[in-house]
Amino acid sequence: ADTPGHEQFTRNMATGASTCDLAILLVDARHGISVQTRRHAFITSLLGIGEIVLAVNKLDLITDSTGAFSQDRFNEIVRAFEEFSTRLPARNIRAIPMSALKGDNVVERSANTPWYAGPTLIEHLESVPLGGRRNQVDFRFPVQWVNRPNLDFRGFAGTVASGCVKPGDRVMVLPSRRTTTVKKIVTFDGDLGEAYPPLAVTLTLADEVDCSRGDTLVHPGNEPHVSQDVSAMVVWMDDKAPLVPGKEYILKHGPHKTPASVVRIAHRVDVNTLERSPAPALALNDIGEVAIRTSRPLVYDAYARNRATGAFILVDRLTNMTAGAGMLLDPSEADGGNWTSAPRATHLAPSAQVITPDERAKRLGQKPFTLLFTGLSGSGKREVARAV
């Protein structure tokens, strides 16, 4: 994906990088590490890209006394980038001195860089291992479709997002937590002995458990987070309206869709300096951490652990346009710990409800009530309440 570098195209860069395993950051040797380089380095780290190529280009314009490309200038740029990278998650960085004008170190090794013994750009791209990005440990199978062609067959179709599953494995349906056993792994070409990412298969189960589109099959004992209250990093893409707390969107997480609203904006990140600052809203191309409450529970892993189950998009309910792209955080990584610690406004007054409690109960199909847990300090009220 060839993505633009200017700040106003941050959303384009994030979209293009969202499916990539490796990023090439092109640096003009005359100007060195620029604001644009730092911005792209941050976005690639946000999207979990673990392989970075620092391609120092146009070294033919900076030569030493022998006419060779300047090793000092190359080392200076590499040191500057490594210094900035210490503020980002650890990644594999390969720096390559280049001149694209005549192909120096692009395909064939250049005589103008006798001091460089590493691979050319093409050699590195053809040999770098990229298989480690996919999570092979945590089995996650989001159900896309319940297949009922006749009375004798009931299968659950979907794509294995991560991990591995075999016939006979115990599985749990989330969020209901019902357990059963995988009976068969069915494909058009016949049954399989195991399924792994990114295979699209149909699983048949030994028991008639309640499972529908948007549910997730996992292995018991190796379960993801299940919550209606999540924290995430969001790249805002809507050029018509900013992200503001309180507005409701449709959150699409794999095959799962649910109404959701942003409870608060924890902070906005300056992608040029990595500084965090308070923000009442996120405008086009802004990146920030937000707290979101969903109408139905999300079954998810942190994006850093599992890219397939940690990504989502926010869709505007009126225009049906993609308004933002998000990466879910582990609850322990959320800014400020407890995401519900939003400041309360002091200048607002409550207004009487137009909808009566009876009307609301009828609409939601449930009768509301409040449970009060009391006890001495340290007796475990909070833990019991959370478990309930």
Side-chain angles (χ1 to χ4, degrees), residues 6-237:
H6 300 295
E7 186 171 7
Q8 62 266 35
F9 298 117
T10 297
R11 61 176 178 175
N12 303 64
M13 196 279 174
T15 302
S18 63
T19 59
C20 294
D21 298 308
L22 179 145
I24 302 173
L25 300 181
L26 205 61
V27 177
D28 189 326
R30 298 169 300 173
H31 307 303
I33 302 302
S34 64
V35 169
Q36 178 176 306
T37 309
R38 292 192 289 269
R39 183 188 312 121
H40 282 199
F42 169 69
I43 295 174
T44 55
S45 70
L46 188 68
L47 294 169
I49 298 178
E51 295 289 340
I52 300 295
V53 176
L54 184 68
V56 182
N57 192 32
K58 298 188 178 181
L59 273 171
D60 56 303
L61 300 178
I62 305 177
T63 58
D64 57 24
S65 58
T66 65
F69 295 171
S70 175
Q71 182 180 8
D72 292 339
R73 180 56 175 164
F74 174 74
N75 291 338
E76 179 185 349
I77 292 173
V78 173
R79 282 195 301 269
F81 184 77
E82 289 177 345
E83 181 181 351
F84 176 78
S85 297
T86 58
R87 302 161 63 186
L88 301 173
R91 297 181 290 174
N92 297 324
I93 300 173
R94 165 65 72 175
I96 301 177
M98 288 173 34
S99 171
L101 180 65
K102 295 184 179 180
D104 292 87
N105 287 336
V106 177
V107 176
E108 297 179 356
R109 195 173 305 278
S110 172
N112 293 313
T113 55
W115 40 265
Y116 175 71
T120 65
L121 178 62
I122 292 298
E123 287 173 351
H124 179 68
L125 295 181
E126 290 181 341
S127 61
V128 61
L130 296 176
R133 292 267 343 252
R134 191 164 283 141
N135 186 320
Q136 303 289 357
V137 177
D138 307 315
F139 172 61
R140 306 288 185 258
F141 186 80
V143 176
Q144 297 177 9
W145 181 46
V146 180
N147 188 5
R148 292 295 304 267
N150 53 60
L151 295 177
D152 300 322
F153 185 90
R154 183 169 182 257
F156 302 94
T159 298
V160 181
S162 62
C164 177
V165 65
K166 301 177 182 179
D169 284 359
R170 292 290 294 175
V171 293
M172 175 186 291
V173 182
L174 292 178
S176 70
R177 301 188 67 82
R178 298 294 181 91
T179 59
T180 182
T181 303
V182 176
K183 188 176 180 181
K184 292 191 299 182
I185 302 174
V186 181
T187 72
F188 179 80
D189 298 316
D191 296 351
L192 300 179
E194 64 176 352
Y196 44 83
L199 292 180
V201 298
T202 296
L203 303 182
T204 62
L205 306 179
D207 305 299
E208 292 266 347
V209 295
D210 183 16
C211 183
S212 59
R213 176 179 170 87
D215 291 344
T216 302
L217 299 178
V218 304
H219 285 147
N222 182 5
E223 301 161 25
H225 303 291
V226 181
S227 179
Q228 291 178 256
D229 302 320
V230 298
S231 294
M233 296 297 296
V234 170
V235 180
W236 198 243
M237 301 179 172

Side-chain angles (χ1 to χ4, degrees), residues 195-345:
Y196 44 83
L199 292 180
V201 298
T202 296
L203 303 182
T204 62
L205 306 179
D207 305 299
E208 292 266 347
V209 295
D210 183 16
C211 183
S212 59
R213 176 179 170 87
D215 291 344
T216 302
L217 299 178
V218 304
H219 285 147
N222 182 5
E223 301 161 25
H225 303 291
V226 181
S227 179
Q228 291 178 256
D229 302 320
V230 298
S231 294
M233 296 297 296
V234 170
V235 180
W236 198 243
M237 301 179 172
D238 193 339
D239 56 359
K240 300 293 192 299
L243 180 151
V244 291
K247 184 175 179 180
E248 197 167 83
Y249 301 91
I250 296 295
L251 188 149
K252 188 176 186 304
H253 177 244
H256 179 54
K257 288 184 179 180
T258 177
S261 60
V262 175
V263 177
R264 72 181 179 101
I265 300 173
H267 61 255
R268 178 173 53 204
V269 179
D270 186 326
V271 295
N272 302 323
T273 64
L274 303 187
E275 293 180 355
R276 300 179 177 185
S277 60
L282 294 182
L284 175 65
N285 294 317
D286 277 349
I287 298 176
E289 181 181 327
V290 301
I292 299 174
R293 171 164 286 162
T294 61
S295 295
R296 293 175 55 198
L298 287 188
V299 178
Y300 72 97
D301 297 284
Y303 185 87
R305 179 177 179 86
N306 195 331
R307 195 176 190 179
T309 59
F312 67 91
I313 60 172
L314 293 174
V315 179
D316 189 285
R317 295 175 66 114
L318 297 179
T319 65
N320 207 35
M321 297 292 290
T322 299
M327 290 130 282
L328 292 160
L329 300 174
D330 189 278
S332 63
E333 299 173 351
D335 185 17
N338 183 5
W339 72 274
T340 58
S341 58
R344 295 184 178 274

